[in-house]
Amino acid sequence: MSDLQDFLMDSFEDAEVIERKVSLGGKEKVMKFKPITAAKGDEIRKSCRKTSFHKGQKIVESDQDAFVAKLITETTVFPDFKSQELQQSWGVLGAENLLNAMKAKMKDGEYATLSNIVSEINGYNKTMDDLVEEAKN
């Protein structure tokens, strides 16, 4: 049985950096990732929403591609997509613009793999069975 101590601030651990080998642009590279917090995830989701009104009805649309791009740039520790030097080398300004420039040189499957790695690191790819198993341990 759990007790209140499990929920005190000191009992929460900071996420660790995770290193993965990723094929990008036809070459294997080592990248480093760190999961984002739920609060940061909310912030990203909100920034990717567009609200409009049609015949008095509120319509909220989410841009999934923009969400994935922001998730990748926020989760990736190395290379740092916010690096001015890296952006300059690609002739762009901004983390998402850098990712898009790199994406233009990647195979489609490479970008999909990168997206899947970032989703997994942030806990989005866990099934209910995985979560139950984690809870047991």
Side-chain angles (χ1 to χ4, degrees):
M1 185 172 245
S2 297
D3 75 39
L4 185 61
Q5 299 298 315
D6 292 341
F7 296 94
L8 296 179
M9 191 166 141
D10 292 344
S11 72
F12 281 66
E13 296 178 7
D14 287 335
E16 295 198 17
V17 173
I18 299 164
E19 212 173 89
R20 292 281 175 87
K21 288 183 180 178
V22 182
S23 178
L24 297 177
K27 293 184 180 179
E28 194 169 272
K29 303 176 187 318
V30 175
M31 295 181 74
K32 295 178 182 178
F33 306 93
K34 187 173 181 178
I36 61 169
T37 64
K40 185 66 175 178
D42 287 345
E43 181 184 314
I44 293 171
R45 269 186 290 288
K46 287 176 186 172
S47 74
C48 296
R49 286 189 193 132
K50 182 178 133 189
T51 303
S52 61
F53 292 89
H54 182 71
K55 296 183 181 179
Q57 188 92 16
K58 182 179 178 180
I59 300 169
V60 178
E61 296 176 278
S62 294
D63 184 341
Q64 189 63 27
D65 292 335
F67 175 76
V68 169
K70 287 182 183 210
L71 188 64
I72 290 171
T73 60
E74 288 296 328
T75 301
T76 305
V77 175
F78 181 81
D80 181 1
F81 286 98
K82 296 173 186 171
S83 162
Q84 190 175 31
E85 179 183 356
L86 192 55
Q87 291 173 15
Q88 285 175 346
S89 79
W90 284 84
V92 298
L93 289 174
E96 284 86 26
N97 290 334
L98 174 57
L99 178 62
N100 284 330
M102 289 178 164
K103 188 173 157 181
K105 298 281 188 179
M106 291 181 208
K107 296 174 186 170
D108 192 37
E110 291 174 334
Y111 186 77
T113 298
L114 178 59
S115 174
N116 287 338
I117 288 169
V118 167
S119 292
E120 175 193 327
I121 286 169
N122 283 294
Y124 295 132
N125 287 0
K126 293 186 179 183
T127 65
M128 186 54 80
D129 290 338
D130 294 335
L131 295 172
V132 168
E133 194 60 36
E134 265 185 31
K136 287 180 184 176
N137 297 330

